[in-house]
């Protein structure tokens, strides 16, 4: 069973719960950027683990976003078909779009799409910050090595 199969079996409430869990993980990331009083060795040791963890969370957010996009397109098609079949008169494309965008199912999944995009972008920002932090840590280590090499006895 794949992760997308697991997501496909979820209802809206479960998807919201998963997005909330991801959002909580984003909020907990702040502690990784507070470097005061931490040893350089510990930071360098733990950095790849944090980067990997948030990379996996980002992939999960991307899967949820893609699933919700597909589900939204499916709902759009269902509402389109229902609107065409149940209409007493010929509707313009604008009328049909208005019917689709006012349907509760569409609104619910559109909100999920916006939420999943928001969480995905926040996770991407954390990964970018972690990558920058890794670059900074690497440069600090290089500077310390260079300072040791400059010492003459």
């Amino acid at each position: 069973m794949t992760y997308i199969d697991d997501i496909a079996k979820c209802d809206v409430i479960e998807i919201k719960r998963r997005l909330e869990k991801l959002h909580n993980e984003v909020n907990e990331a702040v502690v990784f950027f507070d470097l005061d009083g931490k040893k350089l060795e510990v930071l360098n040791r733990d950095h790849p683990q944090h980067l990997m963890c948030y990379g996996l969370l980002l992939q999960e957010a991307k899967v949820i976003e893609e699933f919700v996009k597909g589900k939204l397109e499916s709902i759009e098609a269902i509402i389109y078909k229902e609107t065409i079949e149940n209409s007493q008169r010929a509707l313009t494309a604008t009328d049909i779009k208005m019917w689709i965008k006012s349907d509760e199912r569409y609104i619910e999944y559109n909100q999920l799409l916006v939420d999943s995009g928001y969480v995905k972008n926040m996770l991407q920002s954390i990964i970018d910050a972690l990558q920058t932090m890794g670059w900074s840590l690497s440069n600090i280590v290089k500077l310390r090595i260079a300072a040791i090499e400059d010492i003459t006895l």
Side-chain angles (χ1 to χ4, degrees):
M1 181 151 105
T2 64
Y3 186 77
I4 194 71
D5 291 335
D6 190 33
I7 291 287
K9 293 177 184 174
C10 295
D11 59 352
V12 172
I13 295 169
E14 177 65 20
I15 293 173
K16 285 181 181 179
R17 189 187 65 73
R18 287 179 184 225
L19 287 173
E20 187 175 322
K21 180 183 148 242
L22 289 172
H23 193 269
N24 290 338
E25 291 287 337
V26 165
N27 291 336
E28 293 173 8
V30 174
V31 298
F32 301 129
F33 299 103
D34 183 21
L35 305 180
D36 290 339
K38 294 184 181 173
K39 292 187 176 187
L40 188 58
E41 295 82 18
V42 173
L43 291 171
N44 279 318
R45 181 193 68 211
D46 293 344
H47 181 264
Q49 178 184 0
H50 299 311
L51 194 57
M52 181 203 68
C53 175
Y54 282 96
L56 291 174
L57 292 174
L58 176 63
Q59 295 310 311
E60 183 177 346
K62 285 180 178 180
V63 167
I64 291 172
E65 183 182 43
E66 288 301 316
F67 172 76
V68 171
K69 277 182 187 176
K71 189 73 171 171
L72 190 62
E73 289 174 5
S74 171
I75 288 171
E76 218 174 314
I78 290 169
I79 297 169
Y80 182 86
K81 183 178 177 186
E82 289 173 357
T83 304
I84 295 294
E85 289 175 354
N86 298 331
S87 177
Q88 299 293 333
R89 61 185 180 90
L91 297 172
T92 65
T94 306
D95 293 337
I96 294 172
K97 283 182 185 178
M98 294 303 288
W99 277 103
I100 291 171
K101 291 186 180 198
S102 65
D103 190 276
E104 288 181 26
R105 296 168 291 181
Y106 181 86
I107 292 170
E108 188 173 43
Y109 273 93
N110 193 42
Q111 183 63 41
L112 276 177
L113 182 62
V114 170
D115 290 344
S116 63
Y118 176 69
V119 169
K120 181 189 81 164
N121 291 338
M122 289 174 60
L123 285 165
Q124 184 62 54
S125 296
I126 290 171
I127 288 175
D128 292 344
L130 283 169
Q131 288 173 339
T132 301
M133 188 172 97
W135 179 81
S136 297
L137 289 172
S138 173
N139 283 342
I140 291 169
V141 169
K142 290 174 185 175
L143 287 171
R144 295 243 171 136
I145 291 170
I148 291 173
E149 290 175 357
D150 287 342
I151 296 176
T152 56
L153 297 174

